[in-house]
Coordinates of all heavy atoms in Angstrom, one line a residue:
N291 N 9.8 15.4 -3.6 CA 9.0 14.4 -4.4 C 7.6 15.0 -4.6 O 7.2 15.9 -4.0 CB 8.9 13.1 -3.6 CG 10.2 12.4 -3.3 OD1 11.1 12.5 -4.1 ND2 10.3 11.7 -2.2
S292 N 7.0 14.4 -5.6 CA 5.6 14.8 -5.9 C 4.7 13.5 -6.1 O 4.0 13.4 -7.0 CB 5.6 15.6 -7.1 OG 6.3 16.8 -7.0
I293 N 4.9 12.6 -5.2 CA 4.1 11.4 -5.2 C 2.7 11.6 -4.8 O 2.5 12.3 -3.7 CB 4.7 10.3 -4.4 CG1 6.2 10.0 -4.9 CG2 3.9 9.0 -4.4 CD1 7.0 9.1 -4.0
S294 N 1.7 11.2 -5.5 CA 0.3 11.4 -5.1 C -0.4 10.0 -5.3 O 0.1 9.1 -5.9 CB -0.4 12.4 -5.9 OG -0.4 12.1 -7.3
G295 N -1.5 9.9 -4.7 CA -2.3 8.7 -4.7 C -2.4 8.0 -3.4 O -2.3 8.7 -2.3
T296 N -2.5 6.7 -3.3 CA -2.6 6.0 -2.1 C -1.5 5.0 -1.9 O -0.8 4.6 -2.9 CB -4.0 5.3 -2.0 OG1 -4.0 4.3 -3.1 CG2 -5.1 6.3 -2.1
I297 N -1.3 4.5 -0.7 CA -0.4 3.4 -0.5 C -1.2 2.1 -0.7 O -2.2 1.9 0.0 CB 0.2 3.4 0.9 CG1 1.0 4.7 1.2 CG2 1.2 2.2 1.2 CD1 1.4 4.9 2.6
P298 N -0.8 1.2 -1.6 CA -1.7 0.1 -1.8 C -1.7 -0.9 -0.6 O -0.7 -1.1 0.1 CB -1.0 -0.6 -3.0 CG 0.4 -0.1 -3.0 CD 0.4 1.2 -2.4
E299 N -2.9 -1.5 -0.4 CA -3.0 -2.5 0.6 C -2.7 -3.8 -0.1 O -3.3 -4.2 -1.1 CB -4.4 -2.6 1.1 CG -4.7 -1.4 2.0 CD -6.0 -1.6 2.8 OE1 -6.3 -2.8 3.2 OE2 -6.6 -0.6 3.1
T300 N -1.7 -4.5 0.4 CA -1.2 -5.8 -0.3 C -0.5 -6.7 0.7 O 0.0 -6.2 1.7 CB -0.3 -5.5 -1.4 OG1 0.1 -6.7 -2.0 CG2 0.9 -4.7 -1.0
D301 N -0.6 -7.9 0.5 CA 0.1 -8.9 1.4 C 1.5 -9.2 0.7 O 2.2 -10.1 1.1 CB -0.7 -10.1 1.6 CG -1.1 -10.8 0.4 OD1 -0.8 -10.3 -0.7 OD2 -1.7 -11.9 0.5
K302 N 1.8 -8.5 -0.4 CA 3.0 -8.7 -1.1 C 4.2 -7.8 -0.7 O 5.1 -7.7 -1.5 CB 2.7 -8.5 -2.6 CG 1.6 -9.4 -3.1 CD 2.0 -10.9 -3.1 CE 0.8 -11.6 -3.7 NZ 0.7 -12.9 -3.2
W303 N 4.1 -7.1 0.4 CA 5.2 -6.2 0.8 C 6.4 -7.1 1.0 O 6.3 -8.2 1.5 CB 4.9 -5.6 2.1 CG 3.9 -4.4 2.0 CD1 2.6 -4.5 2.2 CD2 4.2 -3.1 1.7 NE1 2.0 -3.3 2.0 CE2 3.0 -2.4 1.7 CE3 5.4 -2.4 1.4 CZ2 2.9 -1.0 1.4 CZ3 5.3 -1.0 1.1 CH2 4.1 -0.4 1.1
C304 N 7.5 -6.7 0.6 CA 8.8 -7.4 0.7 C 9.1 -7.5 2.2 O 9.3 -6.5 2.9 CB 9.9 -6.7 0.0 SG 11.5 -7.4 0.1
P305 N 9.2 -8.7 2.8 CA 9.5 -8.8 4.2 C 10.8 -8.3 4.6 O 11.1 -8.0 5.8 CB 9.3 -10.3 4.5 CG 9.3 -11.0 3.2 CD 9.0 -10.0 2.1
Q306 N 11.7 -8.2 3.6 CA 13.1 -7.7 4.0 C 13.1 -6.1 3.9 O 14.1 -5.5 4.3 CB 14.1 -8.2 2.9 CG 14.4 -9.7 3.1 CD 13.3 -10.5 2.4 OE1 12.6 -10.0 1.5 NE2 13.2 -11.8 2.7
L307 N 12.0 -5.5 3.6 CA 11.9 -4.0 3.6 C 12.2 -3.5 5.0 O 11.6 -3.9 5.9 CB 10.6 -3.6 3.1 CG 10.4 -2.1 2.9 CD1 11.2 -1.6 1.7 CD2 8.9 -1.8 2.6
K308 N 13.2 -2.6 5.1 CA 13.6 -2.0 6.4 C 13.4 -0.5 6.4 O 13.4 0.0 7.5 CB 15.1 -2.3 6.6 CG 15.4 -3.8 6.7 CD 14.7 -4.5 7.8 CE 15.0 -6.0 7.8 NZ 14.1 -6.7 8.6
E309 N 13.3 0.2 5.3 CA 13.1 1.6 5.3 C 12.1 2.1 4.4 O 12.0 1.5 3.2 CB 14.5 2.3 4.9 CG 15.6 1.9 5.9 CD 16.9 2.5 5.5 OE1 17.0 3.2 4.4 OE2 17.9 2.4 6.2
I310 N 11.3 3.0 4.8 CA 10.2 3.6 4.0 C 10.4 5.2 4.1 O 10.3 5.7 5.2 CB 8.8 3.2 4.4 CG1 8.6 1.7 4.1 CG2 7.8 4.0 3.6 CD1 7.3 1.2 4.5
Y311 N 10.5 5.8 3.0 CA 10.6 7.3 2.9 C 9.5 7.8 2.0 O 9.6 7.8 0.8 CB 11.9 7.8 2.3 CG 13.2 7.4 3.0 CD1 13.8 6.1 2.8 CD2 13.8 8.2 3.9 CE1 14.9 5.8 3.4 CE2 14.9 7.9 4.6 CZ 15.5 6.7 4.3 OH 16.7 6.3 5.0
L312 N 8.4 8.2 2.6 CA 7.3 8.7 1.8 C 6.8 10.1 2.3 O 5.7 10.5 1.9 CB 6.1 7.7 1.8 CG 6.3 6.3 1.2 CD1 5.1 5.4 1.4 CD2 6.6 6.5 -0.3
Y313 N 7.6 10.7 3.1 CA 7.1 12.0 3.7 C 7.1 13.1 2.7 O 7.8 13.0 1.7 CB 8.0 12.3 4.9 CG 9.5 12.5 4.6 CD1 10.0 13.7 4.4 CD2 10.3 11.4 4.6 CE1 11.3 13.9 4.1 CE2 11.7 11.5 4.3 CZ 12.2 12.8 4.0 OH 13.5 13.0 3.7
N314 N 6.3 14.1 3.0 CA 6.2 15.4 2.2 C 5.9 15.1 0.8 O 6.5 15.6 -0.1 CB 7.5 16.2 2.3 CG 7.5 17.0 3.6 OD1 6.5 17.1 4.3 ND2 8.7 17.6 3.9
N315 N 4.8 14.4 0.6 CA 4.2 14.1 -0.7 C 2.8 14.5 -0.7 O 2.4 15.3 0.1 CB 4.4 12.7 -1.1 CG 5.8 12.4 -1.6 OD1 6.2 12.8 -2.7 ND2 6.6 11.7 -0.7
D316 N 2.0 14.0 -1.6 CA 0.6 14.3 -1.6 C -0.2 12.9 -1.6 O -1.0 12.7 -2.4 CB 0.2 15.1 -2.8 CG -1.2 15.6 -2.8 OD1 -1.7 15.8 -1.7 OD2 -1.8 15.9 -3.8
I317 N 0.2 12.1 -0.6 CA -0.4 10.7 -0.5 C -1.6 10.8 0.4 O -1.6 11.5 1.4 CB 0.7 9.7 0.1 CG1 1.9 9.7 -0.8 CG2 0.0 8.4 0.3 CD1 3.0 8.9 -0.3
S318 N -2.6 10.2 0.0 CA -3.9 10.2 0.8 C -4.4 8.8 1.0 O -3.8 7.8 0.6 CB -4.9 11.1 0.0 OG -5.2 10.5 -1.2
G319 N -5.6 8.7 1.6 CA -6.2 7.4 1.9 C -5.7 6.9 3.2 O -5.1 7.6 4.0
T320 N -5.9 5.6 3.4 CA -5.6 4.9 4.6 C -4.1 4.4 4.6 O -3.6 4.2 3.5 CB -6.5 3.8 5.0 OG1 -6.5 2.8 3.9 CG2 -7.9 4.2 5.2
V321 N -3.5 4.3 5.8 CA -2.2 3.7 5.9 C -2.5 2.2 6.0 O -3.2 1.7 6.9 CB -1.4 4.2 7.1 CG1 -0.1 3.4 7.3 CG2 -1.2 5.7 7.0
P322 N -2.0 1.4 5.1 CA -2.3 -0.1 5.1 C -1.8 -0.7 6.4 O -0.7 -0.5 6.9 CB -1.5 -0.7 3.9 CG -1.2 0.5 3.1 CD -1.1 1.7 4.0
K323 N -2.7 -1.6 7.0 CA -2.3 -2.3 8.2 C -1.1 -3.2 7.9 O -0.4 -3.5 8.9 CB -3.5 -3.1 8.6 CG -3.2 -3.9 9.9 CD -4.5 -4.4 10.6 CE -4.2 -5.2 11.8 NZ -3.0 -5.2 12.4
Q324 N -0.9 -3.6 6.7 CA 0.2 -4.5 6.4 C 1.6 -3.9 6.7 O 2.5 -4.6 7.0 CB 0.2 -4.9 4.9 CG -0.9 -5.8 4.5 CD -2.2 -5.0 4.2 OE1 -2.3 -3.8 4.4 NE2 -3.2 -5.7 3.6
L325 N 1.7 -2.6 6.8 CA 2.9 -2.0 7.2 C 3.3 -2.3 8.6 O 4.5 -2.3 9.0 CB 2.8 -0.4 7.1 CG 2.9 0.2 5.7 CD1 2.8 1.7 5.8 CD2 4.1 -0.3 5.0
T326 N 2.3 -2.7 9.5 CA 2.6 -3.1 10.8 C 3.3 -4.4 10.9 O 3.9 -4.7 12.0 CB 1.3 -3.1 11.7 OG1 0.5 -4.1 11.2 CG2 0.6 -1.8 11.6
D327 N 3.3 -5.2 9.9 CA 3.9 -6.5 9.9 C 5.4 -6.5 9.5 O 6.1 -7.5 9.6 CB 3.2 -7.5 8.9 CG 1.7 -7.7 9.3 OD1 1.4 -7.6 10.5 OD2 0.9 -7.9 8.4
L328 N 5.8 -5.3 9.1 CA 7.2 -5.2 8.6 C 8.1 -4.8 9.8 O 7.7 -4.1 10.7 CB 7.3 -4.1 7.6 CG 6.5 -4.4 6.3 CD1 6.6 -3.1 5.4 CD2 7.0 -5.6 5.6
N329 N 9.3 -5.3 9.8 CA 10.3 -5.0 10.8 C 11.1 -3.8 10.3 O 12.3 -3.9 9.9 CB 11.2 -6.2 11.1 CG 12.1 -5.9 12.3 OD1 11.9 -5.1 13.1 ND2 13.2 -6.7 12.3
L330 N 10.5 -2.6 10.4 CA 11.1 -1.4 9.8 C 12.1 -0.8 10.8 O 11.9 -0.7 12.0 CB 10.1 -0.3 9.5 CG 9.0 -0.7 8.5 CD1 7.9 0.3 8.4 CD2 9.7 -0.9 7.1
H331 N 13.3 -0.3 10.2 CA 14.3 0.4 11.0 C 14.1 1.9 10.9 O 14.6 2.6 11.7 CB 15.7 -0.1 10.6 CG 15.9 -1.5 10.9 ND1 16.9 -1.9 11.7 CD2 15.3 -2.6 10.4 CE1 16.9 -3.3 11.7 NE2 16.0 -3.7 11.0
Y332 N 13.5 2.3 9.7 CA 13.4 3.7 9.4 C 12.1 3.9 8.7 O 11.8 3.1 7.7 CB 14.6 4.2 8.6 CG 14.7 5.6 8.5 CD1 15.4 6.3 9.5 CD2 14.2 6.4 7.4 CE1 15.5 7.7 9.4 CE2 14.4 7.7 7.3 CZ 15.0 8.4 8.4 OH 15.2 9.7 8.3
C333 N 11.3 4.8 9.1 CA 10.0 5.0 8.5 C 9.6 6.5 8.6 O 9.5 7.0 9.7 CB 9.0 4.1 9.2 SG 7.3 4.3 8.6
K334 N 9.4 7.1 7.4 CA 8.9 8.5 7.4 C 7.7 8.5 6.5 O 7.8 8.3 5.3 CB 9.9 9.5 6.9 CG 11.0 9.7 8.0 CD 11.9 10.8 7.6 CE 13.0 11.1 8.6 NZ 12.7 12.1 9.5
L335 N 6.5 8.8 7.1 CA 5.3 8.9 6.3 C 4.6 10.3 6.4 O 3.7 10.5 5.6 CB 4.3 7.8 6.8 CG 4.6 6.4 6.8 CD1 3.6 5.5 7.5 CD2 4.8 5.9 5.3
G336 N 5.0 11.1 7.3 CA 4.3 12.3 7.6 C 4.6 13.5 6.7 O 4.8 13.3 5.5
G337 N 4.5 14.7 7.2 CA 4.7 15.8 6.4 C 3.5 16.3 5.8 O 2.4 16.4 6.4
T338 N 3.5 16.5 4.4 CA 2.4 17.0 3.7 C 1.4 16.0 3.2 O 0.5 16.3 2.5 CB 2.9 17.8 2.5 OG1 3.7 17.0 1.7 CG2 3.7 19.0 3.0
N339 N 1.5 14.7 3.6 CA 0.6 13.7 3.2 C -0.8 13.9 3.9 O -0.8 14.6 5.0 CB 1.1 12.3 3.5 CG 2.4 12.0 2.6 OD1 2.4 12.3 1.4 ND2 3.4 11.5 3.2
H340 N -1.8 13.3 3.4 CA -3.2 13.5 3.9 C -3.8 12.1 4.2 O -4.6 11.6 3.4 CB -4.0 14.3 3.0 CG -3.4 15.5 2.5 ND1 -3.4 16.7 3.3 CD2 -2.8 15.9 1.4 CE1 -2.7 17.6 2.7 NE2 -2.4 17.2 1.5
F341 N -3.4 11.5 5.3 CA -3.9 10.2 5.6 C -5.3 10.2 6.3 O -5.6 11.1 7.1 CB -2.9 9.4 6.5 CG -1.6 9.1 5.8 CD1 -0.4 9.6 6.2 CD2 -1.6 8.3 4.7 CE1 0.7 9.4 5.6 CE2 -0.4 8.0 4.0 CZ 0.7 8.6 4.5
A342 N -6.1 9.2 6.0 CA -7.4 9.1 6.6 C -7.3 8.5 8.0 O -6.4 7.7 8.3 CB -8.3 8.2 5.7
C343 N -8.1 8.9 8.9 CA -8.1 8.4 10.3 C -9.0 7.2 10.3 O -9.9 7.0 9.5 CB -8.8 9.5 11.2 SG -7.8 11.0 11.2
P344 N -8.8 6.3 11.2 CA -7.6 6.3 12.1 C -6.4 5.6 11.5 O -6.5 4.8 10.5 CB -8.1 5.4 13.3 CG -9.1 4.4 12.6 CD -9.7 5.2 11.5
L345 N -5.2 5.9 12.0 CA -4.0 5.3 11.6 C -4.1 3.9 12.2 O -4.7 3.7 13.3 CB -2.8 6.0 12.1 CG -2.5 7.4 11.5 CD1 -1.4 8.1 12.3 CD2 -2.3 7.3 10.1
P346 N -3.4 2.9 11.6 CA -3.4 1.5 12.2 C -2.9 1.6 13.7 O -1.9 2.2 13.9 CB -2.5 0.7 11.3 CG -2.5 1.4 10.0 CD -2.7 2.9 10.4
V347 N -3.6 0.9 14.6 CA -3.2 0.9 16.0 C -1.8 0.4 16.2 O -1.0 0.9 17.0 CB -4.2 0.0 16.8 CG1 -3.8 -0.1 18.2 CG2 -5.6 0.6 16.7
D348 N -1.4 -0.6 15.4 CA -0.1 -1.2 15.6 C 1.0 -0.6 14.7 O 2.1 -1.2 14.6 CB -0.2 -2.7 15.3 CG -1.1 -3.5 16.2 OD1 -1.3 -3.0 17.3 OD2 -1.7 -4.5 15.8
L349 N 0.8 0.5 14.1 CA 1.8 1.2 13.3 C 3.0 1.5 14.2 O 2.9 2.1 15.3 CB 1.2 2.5 12.7 CG 2.0 3.1 11.6 CD1 2.1 2.2 10.4 CD2 1.4 4.4 11.2
P350 N 4.2 1.0 13.8 CA 5.4 1.3 14.6 C 5.6 2.7 15.0 O 5.3 3.6 14.1 CB 6.5 0.7 13.8 CG 5.9 -0.2 12.8 CD 4.5 0.4 12.5
D351 N 6.1 3.0 16.2 CA 6.3 4.3 16.6 C 7.2 5.1 15.7 O 7.1 6.3 15.5 CB 6.9 4.4 18.0 CG 5.8 4.1 19.1 OD1 4.6 4.1 18.8 OD2 6.2 3.8 20.2
I352 N 8.2 4.4 15.1 CA 9.1 5.1 14.2 C 8.4 5.6 13.0 O 8.9 6.5 12.3 CB 10.3 4.2 13.8 CG1 9.8 3.0 13.0 CG2 11.2 3.8 14.9 CD1 10.9 2.2 12.3
C353 N 7.2 5.2 12.7 CA 6.4 5.7 11.6 C 5.6 6.9 12.0 O 5.1 7.6 11.1 CB 5.5 4.6 11.0 SG 6.3 3.3 10.2
I354 N 5.4 7.1 13.3 CA 4.5 8.2 13.8 C 5.3 9.3 14.5 O 5.1 10.4 14.2 CB 3.5 7.6 14.7 CG1 2.7 6.5 14.0 CG2 2.6 8.7 15.3 CD1 1.8 5.7 15.0
L355 N 6.2 8.9 15.4 CA 6.8 9.9 16.3 C 8.1 10.5 15.7 O 9.2 10.2 16.1 CB 7.2 9.2 17.6 CG 6.0 8.6 18.3 CD1 6.4 7.9 19.6 CD2 4.9 9.6 18.6
D356 N 8.0 11.3 14.7 CA 9.1 11.9 14.0 C 8.8 13.4 14.3 O 7.8 14.0 13.8 CB 9.1 11.6 12.5 CG 10.3 12.2 11.8 OD1 10.5 13.5 12.0 OD2 11.0 11.5 11.1
S357 N 9.7 14.1 15.0 CA 9.5 15.5 15.4 C 9.5 16.4 14.1 O 8.8 17.4 14.2 CB 10.6 16.0 16.3 OG 11.9 15.8 15.8
D358 N 10.2 16.0 13.1 CA 10.2 16.9 11.9 C 9.0 16.6 11.0 O 8.4 17.5 10.3 CB 11.5 16.7 11.1 CG 12.7 17.2 11.8 OD1 12.5 18.2 12.6 OD2 13.8 16.6 11.6
Y359 N 8.6 15.3 10.9 CA 7.5 14.9 10.0 C 6.6 13.9 10.7 O 6.6 12.8 10.3 CB 8.1 14.3 8.7 CG 9.1 15.1 8.0 CD1 10.4 15.0 8.0 CD2 8.6 16.2 7.2 CE1 11.3 15.8 7.3 CE2 9.4 17.0 6.5 CZ 10.8 16.8 6.6 OH 11.6 17.6 5.9
P360 N 5.9 14.3 11.7 CA 5.0 13.4 12.4 C 3.9 12.9 11.4 O 3.4 13.6 10.5 CB 4.4 14.2 13.5 CG 4.5 15.6 13.1 CD 5.7 15.7 12.2
T361 N 3.5 11.6 11.6 CA 2.5 11.0 10.8 C 1.2 11.3 11.5 O 1.0 10.9 12.6 CB 2.7 9.5 10.6 OG1 4.0 9.3 10.0 CG2 1.6 8.9 9.7
E362 N 0.3 12.0 10.8 CA -1.0 12.4 11.4 C -2.1 12.0 10.4 O -1.9 12.0 9.2 CB -1.1 13.9 11.7 CG 0.0 14.3 12.6 CD 0.0 15.9 12.8 OE1 -0.3 16.6 11.9 OE2 0.3 16.3 13.9
C363 N -3.2 11.7 11.0 CA -4.4 11.5 10.1 C -5.1 12.9 10.1 O -5.3 13.5 11.2 CB -5.2 10.3 10.5 SG -5.9 10.4 12.1
N364 N -5.6 13.3 9.0 CA -6.3 14.6 9.0 C -7.6 14.5 8.2 O -8.1 15.6 7.8 CB -5.4 15.7 8.5 CG -4.3 15.3 7.5 OD1 -4.5 14.3 6.8 ND2 -3.2 15.9 7.5
Y365 N -8.0 13.4 7.9 CA -9.3 13.2 7.1 C -10.0 12.1 7.7 O -9.5 11.1 8.1 CB -9.0 12.9 5.6 CG -8.5 14.1 4.9 CD1 -7.1 14.3 4.7 CD2 -9.3 15.2 4.5 CE1 -6.6 15.4 4.1 CE2 -8.8 16.3 3.9 CZ -7.5 16.4 3.7 OH -7.0 17.5 3.1
P366 N -11.4 12.1 7.8 CA -12.1 11.0 8.3 C -11.9 9.8 7.3 O -11.6 10.0 6.1 CB -13.6 11.5 8.3 CG -13.6 12.7 7.5 CD -12.2 13.2 7.4
P367 N -12.1 8.6 7.8 CA -12.0 7.5 6.9 C -13.0 7.5 5.7 O -14.1 8.1 5.9 CB -12.2 6.2 7.8 CG -13.0 6.8 8.9 CD -12.6 8.2 9.1
P368 N -12.6 7.0 4.6 CA -13.6 7.0 3.5 C -14.8 6.2 3.8 O -14.7 5.2 4.5 CB -12.8 6.3 2.3 CG -11.6 5.7 2.9 CD -11.4 6.3 4.3
Q369 N -15.9 6.7 3.4 CA -17.2 6.1 3.7 C -17.6 5.2 2.5 O -17.3 5.6 1.3 CB -18.3 7.1 3.9 CG -18.0 8.0 5.1 CD -18.0 7.2 6.4 OE1 -18.8 6.4 6.7 NE2 -17.0 7.5 7.2
P370 N -18.2 4.0 2.8 CA -18.6 3.2 1.6 C -19.7 3.9 0.9 O -20.5 4.8 1.5 CB -19.2 1.9 2.3 CG -19.5 2.3 3.7 CD -18.5 3.5 4.1
P371 N -19.9 3.6 -0.4 CA -21.0 4.3 -1.1 C -22.3 3.9 -0.5 O -22.5 2.8 0.0 CB -20.8 3.8 -2.5 CG -20.0 2.6 -2.4 CD -19.2 2.7 -1.2
P372 N -23.3 4.8 -0.6 CA -24.6 4.5 0.0 C -25.2 3.3 -0.8 O -25.0 3.2 -2.0 CB -25.4 5.8 -0.2 CG -24.7 6.6 -1.2 CD -23.3 6.1 -1.2
S373 N -26.0 2.5 0.0 CA -26.7 1.4 -0.7 C -27.9 2.0 -1.5 O -28.5 3.0 -1.1 CB -27.3 0.5 0.4 OG -26.3 0.0 1.2
P374 N -28.1 1.4 -2.6 CA -29.3 1.9 -3.4 C -30.6 1.8 -2.6 O -30.8 0.7 -2.0 CB -29.3 1.1 -4.7 CG -28.4 0.0 -4.4 CD -27.5 0.3 -3.2
S375 N -31.4 2.8 -2.6 CA -32.6 2.7 -1.9 C -33.6 1.8 -2.7 O -33.6 1.7 -3.9 CB -33.3 4.0 -1.7 OG -33.2 4.8 -2.9
P376 N -34.4 1.0 -1.9 CA -35.3 0.1 -2.6 C -36.3 0.9 -3.4 O -36.7 2.0 -3.1 CB -36.0 -0.7 -1.5 CG -35.7 0.1 -0.3 CD -34.5 0.9 -0.5
S377 N -36.8 0.3 -4.5 CA -37.8 0.9 -5.3 C -39.1 1.0 -4.5 O -39.4 0.2 -3.7 CB -38.1 0.1 -6.5 OG -37.0 -0.2 -7.3
P378 N -39.8 2.2 -4.6 CA -41.0 2.3 -3.9 C -42.0 1.3 -4.4 O -42.1 0.9 -5.5 CB -41.5 3.8 -4.2 CG -40.7 4.2 -5.4 CD -39.5 3.3 -5.5
S379 N -42.8 0.9 -3.4 CA -43.9 -0.1 -3.7 C -45.0 0.6 -4.5 O -45.3 1.8 -4.3 CB -44.5 -0.6 -2.5 OG -43.5 -1.3 -1.7
P380 N -45.6 -0.1 -5.5 CA -46.6 0.5 -6.2 C -47.8 0.7 -5.3 O -48.0 0.0 -4.3 CB -47.0 -0.5 -7.3 CG -46.4 -1.8 -6.8 CD -45.3 -1.5 -5.9
P381 N -48.6 1.7 -5.6 CA -49.8 2.0 -4.7 C -50.8 0.8 -4.8 O -50.8 0.1 -5.8 CB -50.4 3.3 -5.3 CG -49.9 3.4 -6.7 CD -48.6 2.6 -6.7
P382 N -51.5 0.6 -3.8 CA -52.5 -0.5 -3.8 C -53.6 -0.2 -4.9 O -53.8 0.9 -5.2 CB -53.1 -0.5 -2.4 CG -52.8 0.8 -1.8 CD -51.6 1.4 -2.5
P383 N -54.2 -1.2 -5.4 CA -55.2 -1.0 -6.4 C -56.4 -0.3 -5.8 O -56.7 -0.4 -4.7 CB -55.6 -2.4 -6.9 CG -55.1 -3.3 -5.9 CD -54.0 -2.6 -5.1
S384 N -57.0 0.5 -6.7 CA -58.2 1.2 -6.2 C -59.4 0.3 -6.1 O -59.5 -0.7 -6.8 CB -58.6 2.3 -7.3 OG -57.6 3.2 -7.5
P385 N -60.3 0.5 -5.1 CA -61.4 -0.4 -5.0 C -62.3 -0.3 -6.2 O -62.4 0.8 -6.8 CB -62.1 0.1 -3.7 CG -61.6 1.5 -3.4 CD -60.3 1.6 -4.1
P386 N -63.0 -1.3 -6.5 CA -63.9 -1.3 -7.7 C -65.0 -0.2 -7.5 O -65.5 -0.1 -6.4 CB -64.4 -2.7 -7.8 CG -64.0 -3.4 -6.6 CD -63.0 -2.6 -5.8
R387 N -65.4 0.4 -8.5 CA -66.5 1.4 -8.4 C -67.8 0.6 -8.5 O -68.0 -0.3 -9.3 CB -66.4 2.4 -9.6 CG -65.1 3.2 -9.5 CD -65.1 4.1 -10.6 NE -65.0 5.5 -10.0 CZ -65.1 6.6 -10.7 NH1 -65.3 6.5 -12.0 NH2 -65.0 7.7 -10.1
P388 N -68.8 1.1 -7.8 CA -70.1 0.4 -7.9 C -70.8 0.7 -9.2 O -70.6 1.7 -9.8 CB -70.9 1.1 -6.8 CG -70.1 2.2 -6.2 CD -68.7 2.1 -6.8
S389 N -71.5 -0.3 -9.7 CA -72.1 -0.1 -11.0 C -73.4 0.7 -10.8 O -74.1 0.6 -9.8 CB -72.6 -1.4 -11.6 OG -71.8 -2.5 -11.3
P390 N -73.8 1.5 -11.8 CA -75.0 2.3 -11.7 C -76.3 1.5 -11.8 O -76.5 0.5 -12.1 CB -74.9 3.3 -12.8 CG -73.8 2.9 -13.7 CD -73.1 1.8 -13.0

């Protein structure tokens, strides 16, 4: 396969989903926490994918502990964009000059 991109975060995962085969692709980003809510019987996410750390704490062991394709995180989590810095304050007015 040559799937790239991210796994979408959604509450629309099919609750009857029992198997996920996404190993050895070029998938990046975070592993959605919603995968932990599924009753998966088979799950392969590892291999050549590039998931951001940390993996969801409740991710089922069948998604992680695969001797051929372990699911690992190998990138720090994405950082939010920096907040815009406030505009600098204008300098205070100069004191009036004395008249001659």
